PDB file of all heavy atoms in Angstrom:
ATOM      1  N   PRO Q   1     203.099 138.354  86.053  1.00 94.00           N
ATOM      2  CA  PRO Q   1     203.246 139.733  86.536  1.00 94.00           C
ATOM      3  C   PRO Q   1     204.166 140.518  85.595  1.00 94.00           C
ATOM      4  O   PRO Q   1     205.003 139.944  84.890  1.00 94.00           O
ATOM      5  CB  PRO Q   1     203.881 139.577  87.920  1.00 94.00           C
ATOM      6  CG  PRO Q   1     204.466 138.221  87.932  1.00 94.00           C
ATOM      7  CD  PRO Q   1     203.702 137.387  86.955  1.00 94.00           C
ATOM      8  N   GLU Q   2     204.014 141.815  85.602  1.00 90.00           N
ATOM      9  CA  GLU Q   2     204.798 142.679  84.725  1.00 90.00           C
ATOM     10  C   GLU Q   2     206.302 142.467  84.915  1.00 90.00           C
ATOM     11  O   GLU Q   2     207.078 142.509  83.966  1.00 90.00           O
ATOM     12  CB  GLU Q   2     204.423 144.130  85.009  1.00 90.00           C
ATOM     13  CG  GLU Q   2     204.975 145.101  84.037  1.00 90.00           C
ATOM     14  CD  GLU Q   2     204.418 146.499  84.246  1.00 90.00           C
ATOM     15  OE1 GLU Q   2     203.569 146.708  85.117  1.00 90.00           O
ATOM     16  OE2 GLU Q   2     204.867 147.388  83.521  1.00 90.00           O
ATOM     17  N   ALA Q   3     206.723 142.221  86.136  1.00 92.00           N
ATOM     18  CA  ALA Q   3     208.146 142.066  86.448  1.00 92.00           C
ATOM     19  C   ALA Q   3     208.745 140.772  85.898  1.00 92.00           C
ATOM     20  O   ALA Q   3     209.964 140.598  85.927  1.00 92.00           O
ATOM     21  CB  ALA Q   3     208.351 142.121  87.959  1.00 92.00           C
ATOM     22  N   ALA Q   4     207.931 139.873  85.385  1.00 95.00           N
ATOM     23  CA  ALA Q   4     208.444 138.605  84.858  1.00 95.00           C
ATOM     24  C   ALA Q   4     209.174 138.783  83.535  1.00 95.00           C
ATOM     25  O   ALA Q   4     209.945 137.924  83.127  1.00 95.00           O
ATOM     26  CB  ALA Q   4     207.301 137.612  84.693  1.00 95.00           C
ATOM     27  N   ILE Q   5     208.951 139.896  82.865  1.00 96.00           N
ATOM     28  CA  ILE Q   5     209.541 140.135  81.545  1.00 96.00           C
ATOM     29  C   ILE Q   5     210.659 141.159  81.667  1.00 96.00           C
ATOM     30  O   ILE Q   5     210.437 142.290  82.078  1.00 96.00           O
ATOM     31  CB  ILE Q   5     208.466 140.644  80.561  1.00 96.00           C
ATOM     32  CG1 ILE Q   5     207.338 139.619  80.441  1.00 96.00           C
ATOM     33  CG2 ILE Q   5     209.090 140.935  79.201  1.00 96.00           C
ATOM     34  CD1 ILE Q   5     206.117 140.135  79.720  1.00 96.00           C
ATOM     35  N   SER Q   6     211.861 140.740  81.301  1.00 96.00           N
ATOM     36  CA  SER Q   6     213.023 141.639  81.318  1.00 96.00           C
ATOM     37  C   SER Q   6     213.421 141.954  79.885  1.00 96.00           C
ATOM     38  O   SER Q   6     213.470 141.063  79.037  1.00 96.00           O
ATOM     39  CB  SER Q   6     214.209 140.979  82.031  1.00 96.00           C
ATOM     40  OG  SER Q   6     213.894 140.715  83.368  1.00 96.00           O
ATOM     41  N   VAL Q   7     213.701 143.215  79.617  1.00 97.00           N
ATOM     42  CA  VAL Q   7     214.112 143.647  78.280  1.00 97.00           C
ATOM     43  C   VAL Q   7     215.386 144.481  78.374  1.00 97.00           C
ATOM     44  O   VAL Q   7     215.612 145.175  79.362  1.00 97.00           O
ATOM     45  CB  VAL Q   7     212.999 144.466  77.582  1.00 97.00           C
ATOM     46  CG1 VAL Q   7     211.807 143.604  77.254  1.00 97.00           C
ATOM     47  CG2 VAL Q   7     212.565 145.658  78.416  1.00 97.00           C
ATOM     48  N   PHE Q   8     216.219 144.373  77.354  1.00 96.00           N
ATOM     49  CA  PHE Q   8     217.435 145.180  77.300  1.00 96.00           C
ATOM     50  C   PHE Q   8     217.863 145.336  75.845  1.00 96.00           C
ATOM     51  O   PHE Q   8     217.609 144.451  75.028  1.00 96.00           O
ATOM     52  CB  PHE Q   8     218.552 144.591  78.172  1.00 96.00           C
ATOM     53  CG  PHE Q   8     218.804 143.132  77.957  1.00 96.00           C
ATOM     54  CD1 PHE Q   8     219.817 142.702  77.128  1.00 96.00           C
ATOM     55  CD2 PHE Q   8     218.023 142.175  78.596  1.00 96.00           C
ATOM     56  CE1 PHE Q   8     220.056 141.357  76.930  1.00 96.00           C
ATOM     57  CE2 PHE Q   8     218.254 140.828  78.405  1.00 96.00           C
ATOM     58  CZ  PHE Q   8     219.270 140.413  77.562  1.00 96.00           C
ATOM     59  N   PRO Q   9     218.465 146.466  75.499  1.00 96.00           N
ATOM     60  CA  PRO Q   9     218.798 146.729  74.099  1.00 96.00           C
ATOM     61  C   PRO Q   9     219.900 145.811  73.588  1.00 96.00           C
ATOM     62  O   PRO Q   9     220.832 145.468  74.309  1.00 96.00           O
ATOM     63  CB  PRO Q   9     219.260 148.182  74.109  1.00 96.00           C
ATOM     64  CG  PRO Q   9     219.661 148.467  75.504  1.00 96.00           C
ATOM     65  CD  PRO Q   9     218.856 147.563  76.380  1.00 96.00           C
ATOM     66  N   ALA Q  10     219.754 145.408  72.326  1.00 95.00           N
ATOM     67  CA  ALA Q  10     220.761 144.569  71.685  1.00 95.00           C
ATOM     68  C   ALA Q  10     221.563 145.380  70.677  1.00 95.00           C
ATOM     69  O   ALA Q  10     222.778 145.444  70.762  1.00 95.00           O
ATOM     70  CB  ALA Q  10     220.103 143.376  70.999  1.00 95.00           C
ATOM     71  N   SER Q  11     220.873 146.025  69.735  1.00 95.00           N
ATOM     72  CA  SER Q  11     221.582 146.828  68.737  1.00 95.00           C
ATOM     73  C   SER Q  11     220.648 147.884  68.162  1.00 95.00           C
ATOM     74  O   SER Q  11     219.428 147.752  68.209  1.00 95.00           O
ATOM     75  CB  SER Q  11     222.132 145.949  67.615  1.00 95.00           C
ATOM     76  OG  SER Q  11     221.076 145.367  66.886  1.00 95.00           O
ATOM     77  N   ILE Q  12     221.261 148.913  67.617  1.00 94.00           N
ATOM     78  CA  ILE Q  12     220.519 150.011  66.997  1.00 94.00           C
ATOM     79  C   ILE Q  12     221.120 150.256  65.619  1.00 94.00           C
ATOM     80  O   ILE Q  12     222.335 150.383  65.478  1.00 94.00           O
ATOM     81  CB  ILE Q  12     220.619 151.300  67.843  1.00 94.00           C
ATOM     82  CG1 ILE Q  12     220.055 151.075  69.238  1.00 94.00           C
ATOM     83  CG2 ILE Q  12     219.915 152.452  67.141  1.00 94.00           C
ATOM     84  CD1 ILE Q  12     220.300 152.221  70.200  1.00 94.00           C
ATOM     85  N   GLU Q  13     220.247 150.300  64.619  1.00 94.00           N
ATOM     86  CA  GLU Q  13     220.692 150.614  63.263  1.00 94.00           C
ATOM     87  C   GLU Q  13     219.639 151.508  62.628  1.00 94.00           C
ATOM     88  O   GLU Q  13     218.557 151.041  62.254  1.00 94.00           O
ATOM     89  CB  GLU Q  13     220.887 149.335  62.442  1.00 94.00           C
ATOM     90  CG  GLU Q  13     221.489 149.602  61.082  1.00 94.00           C
ATOM     91  CD  GLU Q  13     221.783 148.313  60.336  1.00 94.00           C
ATOM     92  OE1 GLU Q  13     222.186 147.330  60.969  1.00 94.00           O
ATOM     93  OE2 GLU Q  13     221.592 148.323  59.111  1.00 94.00           O
ATOM     94  N   GLY Q  14     219.926 152.775  62.575  1.00 93.00           N
ATOM     95  CA  GLY Q  14     218.962 153.734  62.044  1.00 93.00           C
ATOM     96  C   GLY Q  14     217.718 153.795  62.918  1.00 93.00           C
ATOM     97  O   GLY Q  14     217.809 154.034  64.115  1.00 93.00           O
ATOM     98  N   ASN Q  15     216.551 153.557  62.318  1.00 93.00           N
ATOM     99  CA  ASN Q  15     215.285 153.569  63.057  1.00 93.00           C
ATOM    100  C   ASN Q  15     214.913 152.210  63.617  1.00 93.00           C
ATOM    101  O   ASN Q  15     213.818 152.036  64.154  1.00 93.00           O
ATOM    102  CB  ASN Q  15     214.155 154.061  62.140  1.00 93.00           C
ATOM    103  CG  ASN Q  15     214.317 155.509  61.779  1.00 93.00           C
ATOM    104  OD1 ASN Q  15     214.742 156.315  62.600  1.00 93.00           O
ATOM    105  ND2 ASN Q  15     213.988 155.857  60.542  1.00 93.00           N
ATOM    106  N   THR Q  16     215.796 151.220  63.461  1.00 96.00           N
ATOM    107  CA  THR Q  16     215.513 149.862  63.920  1.00 96.00           C
ATOM    108  C   THR Q  16     216.316 149.564  65.176  1.00 96.00           C
ATOM    109  O   THR Q  16     217.536 149.708  65.198  1.00 96.00           O
ATOM    110  CB  THR Q  16     215.874 148.835  62.825  1.00 96.00           C
ATOM    111  OG1 THR Q  16     215.139 149.149  61.650  1.00 96.00           O
ATOM    112  CG2 THR Q  16     215.562 147.423  63.270  1.00 96.00           C
ATOM    113  N   ILE Q  17     215.605 149.147  66.210  1.00 96.00           N
ATOM    114  CA  ILE Q  17     216.247 148.788  67.476  1.00 96.00           C
ATOM    115  C   ILE Q  17     215.885 147.345  67.793  1.00 96.00           C
ATOM    116  O   ILE Q  17     214.697 146.996  67.833  1.00 96.00           O
ATOM    117  CB  ILE Q  17     215.798 149.722  68.620  1.00 96.00           C
ATOM    118  CG1 ILE Q  17     216.162 151.177  68.286  1.00 96.00           C
ATOM    119  CG2 ILE Q  17     216.417 149.282  69.945  1.00 96.00           C
ATOM    120  CD1 ILE Q  17     215.635 152.194  69.282  1.00 96.00           C
ATOM    121  N   LEU Q  18     216.895 146.511  67.967  1.00 97.00           N
ATOM    122  CA  LEU Q  18     216.668 145.135  68.405  1.00 97.00           C
ATOM    123  C   LEU Q  18     216.703 145.104  69.923  1.00 97.00           C
ATOM    124  O   LEU Q  18     217.619 145.655  70.536  1.00 97.00           O
ATOM    125  CB  LEU Q  18     217.729 144.192  67.844  1.00 97.00           C
ATOM    126  CG  LEU Q  18     217.665 143.927  66.350  1.00 97.00           C
ATOM    127  CD1 LEU Q  18     218.796 142.988  65.937  1.00 97.00           C
ATOM    128  CD2 LEU Q  18     216.329 143.328  65.962  1.00 97.00           C
ATOM    129  N   VAL Q  19     215.708 144.471  70.508  1.00 97.00           N
ATOM    130  CA  VAL Q  19     215.582 144.383  71.957  1.00 97.00           C
ATOM    131  C   VAL Q  19     215.616 142.918  72.351  1.00 97.00           C
ATOM    132  O   VAL Q  19     214.831 142.107  71.833  1.00 97.00           O
ATOM    133  CB  VAL Q  19     214.259 145.031  72.431  1.00 97.00           C
ATOM    134  CG1 VAL Q  19     214.081 144.866  73.928  1.00 97.00           C
ATOM    135  CG2 VAL Q  19     214.203 146.496  72.037  1.00 97.00           C
ATOM    136  N   ASN Q  20     216.525 142.551  73.230  1.00 97.00           N
ATOM    137  CA  ASN Q  20     216.540 141.197  73.792  1.00 97.00           C
ATOM    138  C   ASN Q  20     215.541 141.132  74.930  1.00 97.00           C
ATOM    139  O   ASN Q  20     215.373 142.102  75.675  1.00 97.00           O
ATOM    140  CB  ASN Q  20     217.931 140.847  74.332  1.00 97.00           C
ATOM    141  CG  ASN Q  20     218.952 140.700  73.245  1.00 97.00           C
ATOM    142  OD1 ASN Q  20     218.658 140.238  72.152  1.00 97.00           O
ATOM    143  ND2 ASN Q  20     220.174 141.099  73.520  1.00 97.00           N
ATOM    144  N   TRP Q  21     214.896 139.997  75.090  1.00 97.00           N
ATOM    145  CA  TRP Q  21     213.974 139.821  76.204  1.00 97.00           C
ATOM    146  C   TRP Q  21     214.153 138.442  76.824  1.00 97.00           C
ATOM    147  O   TRP Q  21     214.587 137.500  76.167  1.00 97.00           O
ATOM    148  CB  TRP Q  21     212.513 140.036  75.767  1.00 97.00           C
ATOM    149  CG  TRP Q  21     212.029 139.122  74.685  1.00 97.00           C
ATOM    150  CD1 TRP Q  21     212.045 139.378  73.351  1.00 97.00           C
ATOM    151  CD2 TRP Q  21     211.467 137.820  74.846  1.00 97.00           C
ATOM    152  NE1 TRP Q  21     211.524 138.314  72.655  1.00 97.00           N
ATOM    153  CE2 TRP Q  21     211.154 137.345  73.556  1.00 97.00           C
ATOM    154  CE3 TRP Q  21     211.199 137.000  75.930  1.00 97.00           C
ATOM    155  CZ2 TRP Q  21     210.586 136.084  73.336  1.00 97.00           C
ATOM    156  CZ3 TRP Q  21     210.628 135.750  75.712  1.00 97.00           C
ATOM    157  CH2 TRP Q  21     210.329 135.304  74.438  1.00 97.00           C
ATOM    158  N   ILE Q  22     213.841 138.373  78.101  1.00 97.00           N
ATOM    159  CA  ILE Q  22     213.926 137.125  78.868  1.00 97.00           C
ATOM    160  C   ILE Q  22     212.705 137.034  79.767  1.00 97.00           C
ATOM    161  O   ILE Q  22     212.325 138.019  80.401  1.00 97.00           O
ATOM    162  CB  ILE Q  22     215.195 137.086  79.744  1.00 97.00           C
ATOM    163  CG1 ILE Q  22     216.450 137.109  78.889  1.00 97.00           C
ATOM    164  CG2 ILE Q  22     215.189 135.864  80.659  1.00 97.00           C
ATOM    165  CD1 ILE Q  22     217.727 137.261  79.689  1.00 97.00           C
ATOM    166  N   VAL Q  23     212.107 135.860  79.807  1.00 96.00           N
ATOM    167  CA  VAL Q  23     211.046 135.573  80.769  1.00 96.00           C
ATOM    168  C   VAL Q  23     211.506 134.366  81.567  1.00 96.00           C
ATOM    169  O   VAL Q  23     211.779 133.301  81.007  1.00 96.00           O
ATOM    170  CB  VAL Q  23     209.694 135.280  80.082  1.00 96.00           C
ATOM    171  CG1 VAL Q  23     208.649 134.877  81.113  1.00 96.00           C
ATOM    172  CG2 VAL Q  23     209.232 136.486  79.292  1.00 96.00           C
ATOM    173  N   ASN Q  24     211.632 134.551  82.863  1.00 94.00           N
ATOM    174  CA  ASN Q  24     212.081 133.483  83.759  1.00 94.00           C
ATOM    175  C   ASN Q  24     211.186 133.543  84.993  1.00 94.00           C
ATOM    176  O   ASN Q  24     211.497 134.228  85.965  1.00 94.00           O
ATOM    177  CB  ASN Q  24     213.553 133.694  84.116  1.00 94.00           C
ATOM    178  CG  ASN Q  24     214.118 132.537  84.904  1.00 94.00           C
ATOM    179  OD1 ASN Q  24     213.426 131.577  85.220  1.00 94.00           O
ATOM    180  ND2 ASN Q  24     215.397 132.629  85.235  1.00 94.00           N
ATOM    181  N   TRP Q  25     210.055 132.847  84.915  1.00 93.00           N
ATOM    182  CA  TRP Q  25     209.067 132.927  85.987  1.00 93.00           C
ATOM    183  C   TRP Q  25     208.400 131.571  86.156  1.00 93.00           C
ATOM    184  O   TRP Q  25     207.871 131.027  85.187  1.00 93.00           O
ATOM    185  CB  TRP Q  25     208.019 133.982  85.645  1.00 93.00           C
ATOM    186  CG  TRP Q  25     207.227 134.434  86.813  1.00 93.00           C
ATOM    187  CD1 TRP Q  25     206.026 133.932  87.220  1.00 93.00           C
ATOM    188  CD2 TRP Q  25     207.570 135.449  87.726  1.00 93.00           C
ATOM    189  NE1 TRP Q  25     205.606 134.583  88.329  1.00 93.00           N
ATOM    190  CE2 TRP Q  25     206.532 135.531  88.669  1.00 93.00           C
ATOM    191  CE3 TRP Q  25     208.649 136.315  87.854  1.00 93.00           C
ATOM    192  CZ2 TRP Q  25     206.533 136.442  89.709  1.00 93.00           C
ATOM    193  CZ3 TRP Q  25     208.648 137.221  88.880  1.00 93.00           C
ATOM    194  CH2 TRP Q  25     207.611 137.278  89.799  1.00 93.00           C
ATOM    195  N   ASP Q  26     208.405 131.050  87.347  1.00 91.00           N
ATOM    196  CA  ASP Q  26     207.826 129.735  87.634  1.00 91.00           C
ATOM    197  C   ASP Q  26     208.335 128.713  86.623  1.00 91.00           C
ATOM    198  O   ASP Q  26     209.524 128.487  86.530  1.00 91.00           O
ATOM    199  CB  ASP Q  26     206.297 129.789  87.675  1.00 91.00           C
ATOM    200  CG  ASP Q  26     205.779 130.621  88.849  1.00 91.00           C
ATOM    201  OD1 ASP Q  26     206.507 130.734  89.859  1.00 91.00           O
ATOM    202  OD2 ASP Q  26     204.669 131.153  88.745  1.00 91.00           O
ATOM    203  N   ASP Q  27     207.446 128.128  85.824  1.00 90.00           N
ATOM    204  CA  ASP Q  27     207.846 127.096  84.855  1.00 90.00           C
ATOM    205  C   ASP Q  27     208.204 127.666  83.484  1.00 90.00           C
ATOM    206  O   ASP Q  27     208.565 126.918  82.589  1.00 90.00           O
ATOM    207  CB  ASP Q  27     206.706 126.090  84.667  1.00 90.00           C
ATOM    208  CG  ASP Q  27     206.404 125.323  85.942  1.00 90.00           C
ATOM    209  OD1 ASP Q  27     207.268 125.318  86.844  1.00 90.00           O
ATOM    210  OD2 ASP Q  27     205.310 124.744  86.037  1.00 90.00           O
ATOM    211  N   ILE Q  28     208.076 128.957  83.317  1.00 91.00           N
ATOM    212  CA  ILE Q  28     208.328 129.567  82.007  1.00 91.00           C
ATOM    213  C   ILE Q  28     209.758 130.080  81.929  1.00 91.00           C
ATOM    214  O   ILE Q  28     210.185 130.894  82.732  1.00 91.00           O
ATOM    215  CB  ILE Q  28     207.338 130.717  81.741  1.00 91.00           C
ATOM    216  CG1 ILE Q  28     205.906 130.179  81.754  1.00 91.00           C
ATOM    217  CG2 ILE Q  28     207.651 131.395  80.411  1.00 91.00           C
ATOM    218  CD1 ILE Q  28     204.861 131.251  81.637  1.00 91.00           C
ATOM    219  N   ARG Q  29     210.508 129.563  80.957  1.00 94.00           N
ATOM    220  CA  ARG Q  29     211.882 129.983  80.706  1.00 94.00           C
ATOM    221  C   ARG Q  29     212.022 130.195  79.211  1.00 94.00           C
ATOM    222  O   ARG Q  29     212.187 129.261  78.449  1.00 94.00           O
ATOM    223  CB  ARG Q  29     212.895 128.922  81.140  1.00 94.00           C
ATOM    224  CG  ARG Q  29     212.733 128.398  82.532  1.00 94.00           C
ATOM    225  CD  ARG Q  29     213.545 129.216  83.523  1.00 94.00           C
ATOM    226  NE  ARG Q  29     213.523 128.643  84.861  1.00 94.00           N
ATOM    227  CZ  ARG Q  29     212.535 128.802  85.733  1.00 94.00           C
ATOM    228  NH1 ARG Q  29     211.469 129.467  85.403  1.00 94.00           N
ATOM    229  NH2 ARG Q  29     212.608 128.295  86.945  1.00 94.00           N
TER     230      ARG Q  29
END
């Protein structure tokens, strides 16, 4: 499901944005 994927910003440098992501659903970690 869409809600299984969580994203949040890590860093921004100019036009580049690093995004951290986590999937923690059933057996997927």
Side-chain angles (χ1 to χ4, degrees):
E2 190 172 358
I5 301 169
S6 298
V7 292
F8 50 97
S11 66
I12 300 171
E13 186 175 323
N15 292 323
T16 302
I17 300 174
L18 290 179
V19 176
N20 292 325
W21 59 267
I22 297 172
V23 175
N24 187 359
W25 198 266
D26 294 334
D27 296 342
I28 300 174
R29 309 269 186 279

